[in-house]
Amino acid sequence: MKTQENRFYKFGFGISFLIPICFIISSYVKPNIEIKRPLEVWAIRSVLDLKPRMLTLALDEECYLAYDLANCKLYKAWKGGISLEGAPYTDKKEIQPSSWGAAYHLDTLTQNQWAVELNGKNIFSKALYKGYRFENNQVYIKYALALSTNDTLFVEERPEIITNKKKISIERQFITSNVPATSQIFLFSQDAKIALKSNDISTYSVSYKKLPTQYPAVLETANLHPGRELMDKSDCFTCHQTKTDEVGPSFVRIAEKYPANEKSFSYLAEKIKKGSSGIWGIGMMNAHPQFKKEELTSIVDYIFTFKPKSKAAKKEKVKNEDLFKLPSKPGFGAPVASVHPSYDLVNLHTPTFKPRVGGLAFMPDGRLLVTTWDTVGGVYLLDGISSGDSCKIKVKRIASGLAEPLGIEVVDDEIYVLQKQELTKLIDLDGDEIIDDYQVVCNSWQVSNDFHEFAFGLVYKDGYFYATLSMAMRLKPDEKQLADRGKTIKIAKDGSFEAINFGLRTPNGIGLGIGNEIFVTDNQGQWTPANKLIHVKKGEYHGMNWGWLSDDPAPEMSMPAIWLPEHEIGNSPTEPVLIHEGIFKGQMLHGDVTFGGINRDFLEKINGDYQGAVFHFSQGFEAGVNRLRWGNDGNLYIGEVGMKGGGWSWKERLNGLQYLKSNGKSTFEMLAIRAKPNGFEIEFTEPLNAEINLKHTDLLVQQWWYQPTKNYGGPKMDLENLSISKIQLSEDRKRVYIEIPNLKTKHVIYFRLSDEIKSQSGQSLWSGETWYTLNNIPTEN
């Protein structure tokens, strides 16, 4: 807005229908956080139209601009605003941000709006969005026009809003480069045909009568059942859907199970208020003490609107595993309850800086980069992290307005961020460490408006980036997944990419592990009966049936390296990292958002394939563990995340940044478990106490397998207790050989040791549980 010295200036970028990022120039400086450019940024989505990629600018309170990045054109200009709703912003899965107001300009033309003439003749061109940059507090949107002659022309557009008392003008300035003197660029819009000068600056302006008062936001829930409105504001749709089972049963199944009478209303209202488990499985439903009695009645009434009217309700058969045992104590039937004894936990977050971490990476000088999954969509640079004193840490926000940045990597001193819709290179043009140029590396993968189409990462190996793309979760019956979803992708610096594997559901974790190989974790759900740690191999299919788009039968599911049973060792596994030193060197760790904590993974190669065991490692963190990175100081840095209302949170906690530092103390636990031709060898970190004489009653061993189905998760198939025919202790008392008949491949073998087992120094076991995935049985010791 050129008529004011103190400008109101927002800027937005992102994906989906319309994904804006908003900057507000203001005096916004939190204590202990240095922000050179005084901008507040939100990465948001607006359900303005079914457009795959949009960039939104709010240059003035009178006018928002929305650019269609797929066609590199100005799509809409309007007065109003954006209702900022969605998973990263208001913790609601079903709802997307939406725009509201009245339009000055709406361009519904579908044809290519760019044209290039060479020597007076039209030649084919394709417009490509290449990012944006800041200069003198203005934004420049970058395009490349790829010609059939293999030449590329470049255009930058600088939009501006000019206002007076009666009208508002949209000024569009275009800067062209690499354009031959014999060429001419044209841009068609509903307003005019714009001829751009070659290698020069062209300015085009159109004016509109100012709209009167600010338009109120339209409430999407105006005609909804009151109970549905209450549920939208809570966490209900985190675990439940109306017609299909997810984490919990569908509302249809609940309505079918219970008669619509006063007794059922009271019973279900009490369940919602206090939380419960055991009726539909072992999963725990969160308590909702915030609801009043009449609100609970309204919620139950909404659920009963799904009761079938034409046929009698079905009787629900509740499954109960005879061999299921309730948790007894931490580490023995239940997660460990505190920080691993060999480590001290240090807080990096403070009351003024407590990030909801999407990604972690280190600069070469040891400073920590943190991306945030929130309304800011920021990148922060932290200095002084090794001091152990959060008061001495300097925090600088260097970038913002990113659309769900869930991965970051530093390559050759350059910063790359993975957004929902693209891999972006962040460039500081003037040396102040604040990012001025957001350069597109790759934005070719398919993405829609579905909230669940995340892009997770980021790993760099041998000149390529690797990331994972999750599947949509709210498709209509006649819709299919986009072809790129549910895959691990390999991205070249030239912007090309290829799929490595497919059939993943929610692979929120990718990292380099043993043998410098790439591993990902996947989350349980439809067609994924338990969580997984997967060794990434070319062409493998991992069982999520929605990712098989052919009418032919799907291929056989490739086995994970380790199954991670739901509610036992993990619910939402995240980024795996390799342990580089110490007693666990060569093993891996991975976090978990909703089960909480960090687990340890031991892998071995049998018949050419990785398989192994998962152990409890540590709890005691501020929130659910999302990202793990080793620092140059040997500390393990932990980025944490969560959503209000459960589903994607540990104990309803949302934010945290901490690190684990080795304290040199020894902890007695299982170090490794190795498959043998007729059983297993368990290795401990310390020798067993001389008075310990292991008996069959000191070990519980079970086996089962998993079958993918259309249901959410899956039961343990053919669960059975296994007998032990032989127990043999090594001379150093650190290894125990267990001979077990009737072991079966492609099964999970569960071990639970007695909590009375002690080490030579008198320590009790830190944890006595492990789950080994037996894909292959070795033929030799």
Side-chain angles (χ1 to χ4, degrees):
M1 179 172 162
K2 291 184 176 179
T3 58
Q4 291 185 9
E5 182 177 352
N6 184 18
R7 303 181 52 190
F8 177 97
Y9 180 17
K10 299 181 184 177
F11 170 79
F13 174 77
I15 146 154
S16 194
F17 289 147
L18 179 61
I19 304 187
I21 301 174
C22 308
F23 291 65
I24 299 177
I25 289 189
S26 62
S27 178
Y28 177 76
V29 180
K30 292 183 179 180
N32 210 32
I33 300 181
E34 179 186 358
I35 305 174
K36 289 289 186 67
R37 180 187 291 125
L39 298 178
E40 185 73 80
V41 183
W42 293 270
I44 64 179
R45 316 161 112 176
S46 174
V47 193
L48 182 65
D49 204 340
L50 293 175
K51 299 293 180 182
R53 286 178 170 85
M54 284 272 181
L55 176 141
T56 299
L57 315 171
L59 302 181
D60 186 276
E61 59 187 352
E62 294 287 337
C63 186
Y64 282 70
L65 302 180
Y67 282 82
D68 175 355
L69 301 183
N71 296 297
C72 299
K73 70 175 185 178
L74 177 61
Y75 173 71
K76 185 178 182 180
W78 80 100
K79 178 177 180 178
I82 297 169
S83 298
L84 187 63
E85 300 220 82
Y89 321 112
T90 56
D91 303 297
K92 298 177 184 178
K93 290 185 177 181
E94 289 280 330
I95 299 174
Q96 297 289 353
S98 57
S99 61
W100 54 271
Y104 296 106
H105 161 93
L106 180 61
D107 190 342
T108 58
L109 294 176
T110 57
Q111 68 267 30
N112 185 5
Q113 294 188 278
W114 291 90
V116 177
E117 290 184 359
L118 179 63
N119 296 320
K121 295 182 179 180
N122 291 327
I123 60 173
F124 172 79
S125 66
K126 181 178 181 181
L128 303 171
Y129 167 71
K130 303 303 289 183
Y132 58 91
R133 65 180 178 88
F134 293 106
E135 183 179 339
N136 297 325
N137 203 33
Q138 292 183 303
V139 61
Y140 293 77
I141 308 163
K142 300 186 290 185
Y143 311 122
L145 305 182
L147 308 185
S148 58
T149 58
N150 293 325
D151 295 316
T152 302
L153 315 184
F154 298 99
V155 179
E156 287 190 333
E157 176 178 353
R158 190 272 296 151
E160 184 60 276
I161 303 299
I162 304 172
T163 68
N164 61 33
K165 290 183 179 180
K166 294 184 178 181
K167 69 178 183 179
I168 183 167
S169 299
I170 302 173
E171 180 184 275
R172 303 173 69 186
Q173 186 181 92
F174 298 92
I175 305 169
T176 60
S177 59
N178 201 42
V179 181
T182 55
S183 294
Q184 177 69 67
I185 300 175
F186 296 97
L187 174 61
F188 297 89
S189 74
Q190 292 187 171
D191 297 312
K193 175 182 177 181
I194 305 172
L196 307 184
K197 298 176 183 178
S198 299
N199 300 323
D200 203 349
I201 299 175
S202 305
T203 302
Y204 169 80
S205 181
V206 61
S207 298
Y208 303 91
K209 184 178 178 180
K210 286 185 69 175
L211 294 169
T213 57
Q214 194 83 349
Y215 288 81
V218 177
L219 297 177
E220 297 180 2
T221 60
N223 297 318
L224 293 180
H225 187 290
R228 172 60 189 255
E229 291 187 44
L230 292 166
M231 297 171 88
D232 280 339
K233 295 175 182 177
S234 184
D235 66 330
C236 303
F237 290 98
T238 297
C239 299
H240 297 279
Q241 294 304 308
T242 56
K243 298 180 181 180
T244 58
D245 293 342
E246 200 171 88
V247 178
S250 68
F251 296 146
V252 169
R253 290 183 71 204
I254 297 172
E256 287 177 339
K257 181 177 175 63
Y258 298 98
N261 55 33
E262 184 177 347
K263 182 178 179 181
S264 295
F265 268 71
S266 298
Y267 174 78
L268 291 174
E270 189 73 4
K271 290 283 186 183
I272 297 169
K273 187 177 184 68
K274 294 184 177 180
S276 67
S277 66
I279 302 301
W280 304 91
I282 61 175
M284 180 68 187
M285 182 175 72
N286 296 314
H288 301 84
Q290 75 274 20
F291 288 133
K292 299 176 183 178
K293 182 178 179 180
E294 58 271 21
E295 292 175 327
L296 291 166
T297 301
S298 182
I299 290 172
V300 176
D301 184 67
Y302 171 69
I303 293 172
F304 278 122
T305 64
F306 293 93
K307 180 175 284 294
K309 295 180 174 59
S310 59
K311 55 184 179 181
K314 297 178 183 178
K315 186 176 181 181
E316 179 66 26
K317 183 180 179 181
V318 180
K319 296 180 180 179
N320 181 27
E321 293 180 348
D322 294 334
L323 295 173
F324 175 74
K325 296 180 181 296
L326 293 175
S328 55
K329 60 181 293 188
F332 299 84
V336 294
S338 56
V339 177
H340 192 284
S342 296
Y343 295 85
D344 296 327
L345 183 62
V346 179
N347 290 338
L348 295 177
H349 56 256
T350 69
T352 57
F353 179 70
K354 200 170 186 180
R356 202 178 192 185
V357 177
L360 297 175
F362 280 94
M363 297 294 289
D365 59 9
R367 290 183 295 172
L368 177 64
L369 290 166
V370 179
T371 69
T372 56
W373 189 67
D374 57 11
T375 56
V376 174
V379 180
Y380 297 82
L381 183 62
L382 277 63
D383 197 2
I385 55 176
S386 295
S387 65
D389 184 352
S390 59
C391 296
K392 296 181 180 179
I393 297 174
K394 294 181 180 179
V395 181
K396 178 192 292 186
R397 191 174 72 201
I398 64 171
S400 55
L402 298 170
E404 302 188 44
L406 291 172
I408 185 168
E409 187 63 274
V410 178
V411 179
D412 298 329
D413 294 344
E414 296 176 324
I415 303 171
Y416 295 83
V417 172
L418 185 71
Q419 300 186 69
K420 185 184 183 78
Q421 79 291 347
E422 73 177 42
L423 176 61
T424 312
K425 183 178 178 180
L426 305 183
I427 302 172
D428 168 28
L429 297 174
D430 55 14
D432 65 356
E433 295 185 320
I434 304 299
I435 300 305
D436 307 293
D437 194 350
Y438 295 72
Q439 186 179 104
V440 174
V441 177
C442 177
N443 63 355
S444 302
W445 61 80
Q446 294 172 301
V447 66
S448 75
N449 66 304
D450 189 278
F451 84 97
H452 202 269
E453 286 188 347
F454 302 103
F456 299 115
L458 190 64
V459 165
Y460 184 76
K461 177 185 175 183
D462 299 333
Y464 293 90
F465 295 95
Y466 293 83
T468 57
L469 305 177
S470 65
M471 290 194 182
M473 287 292 121
R474 298 294 181 266
L475 296 180
K476 296 177 182 178
D478 60 339
E479 292 179 325
K480 285 188 174 183
Q481 294 285 339
L482 297 175
D484 294 331
R485 310 312 304 182
K487 296 180 177 180
T488 303
I489 59 173
K490 178 182 179 182
I491 307 169
K493 287 187 177 181
D494 65 4
S496 61
F497 82 95
E498 63 173 309
I500 305 300
N501 57 9
F502 66 110
L504 301 169
R505 180 182 177 271
T506 316
N508 181 21
I510 181 169
L512 293 176
I514 184 172
N516 204 38
E517 300 278 358
I518 297 175
F519 289 83
V520 302
T521 58
D522 201 6
N523 286 214
Q524 172 179 294
Q526 288 86 349
W527 297 97
T528 311
N531 306 286
K532 303 175 181 179
L533 175 68
I534 296 167
H535 174 220
V536 174
K537 297 170 71 174
K538 181 73 174 178
E540 286 196 337
Y541 169 65
H542 293 287
M544 178 48 159
N545 186 268
W546 295 352
W548 180 249
L549 303 180
S550 170
D551 293 330
D552 296 329
E556 182 180 358
M557 180 192 73
S558 298
M559 288 292 289
I562 302 178
W563 283 106
L564 308 171
E566 187 87 350
H567 302 303
E568 296 180 26
I569 191 65
N571 286 24
S572 302
T574 57
E575 187 170 61
V577 295
L578 182 68
I579 303 173
H580 298 283
E581 57 186 27
I583 193 171
F584 300 120
K585 182 178 180 180
Q587 298 189 29
M588 297 169 65
L589 300 171
H590 73 265
D592 197 287
V593 172
T594 58
F595 201 71
I598 299 174
N599 297 319
R600 175 168 55 89
D601 307 301
F602 168 80
L603 291 169
E604 58 181 349
K605 234 176 191 179
I606 305 296
N607 297 343
D609 293 322
Y610 284 113
Q611 62 185 46
V614 58
F615 304 87
H616 294 295
F617 184 72
S618 184
Q619 282 280 3
F621 304 106
E622 180 71 16
V625 175
N626 194 36
R627 297 291 177 255
L628 300 173
R629 284 292 175 106
W630 291 104
N632 294 333
D633 52 13
N635 298 329
L636 180 64
Y637 287 80
I638 305 159
E640 297 151 27
V641 75
M643 285 179 62
K644 291 179 181 178
W648 288 344
S649 66
W650 181 72
K651 296 187 176 181
E652 300 292 307
R653 299 179 186 175
L654 312 182
N655 327 68
L657 182 63
Q658 301 172 292
Y659 69 78
L660 285 175
K661 181 181 180 64
S662 175
N663 57 27
K665 297 178 182 177
S666 175
T667 301
F668 180 48
E669 56 190 313
M670 285 182 278
L671 175 63
I673 180 166
R674 300 176 179 89
K676 300 295 180 182
N678 297 302
F680 289 89
E681 178 190 80
I682 300 176
E683 181 181 3
F684 296 91
T685 57
E686 295 184 11
L688 300 185
N689 192 292
E691 297 179 0
I692 295 292
N693 182 21
L694 286 180
K695 306 178 293 297
H696 293 192
T697 54
D698 290 324
L699 293 96
L700 169 67
V701 185
Q702 297 176 340
Q703 74 175 353
W704 64 83
W705 62 285
Y706 288 112
Q707 180 177 358
T709 69
K710 65 181 180 180
N711 296 324
Y712 191 98
K716 300 172 180 177
M717 307 296 292
D718 301 325
L719 174 63
E720 61 177 323
N721 286 331
L722 296 177
S723 61
I724 299 172
S725 59
K726 181 180 179 181
I727 298 177
Q728 183 176 335
L729 190 61
S730 65
E731 291 186 8
D732 62 4
R733 302 187 67 82
K734 291 184 70 175
R735 290 176 172 84
V736 176
Y737 171 70
I738 305 168
E739 189 172 284
I740 305 171
N742 302 317
L743 289 171
K744 298 174 183 177
T745 59
K746 298 186 179 181
H747 278 59
V748 176
I749 315 299
Y750 170 68
F751 295 83
R752 180 165 167 180
L753 280 59
S754 168
D755 59 358
E756 296 182 358
I757 297 174
K758 295 185 183 299
S759 71
Q760 196 172 62
S761 63
Q763 289 191 63
S764 297
L765 278 169
W766 171 240
S767 173
E769 291 186 287
T770 185
W771 295 256
Y772 189 101
T773 300
L774 189 64
N775 293 330
N776 295 291
I777 296 176
T779 56
E780 298 178 359
N781 283 314

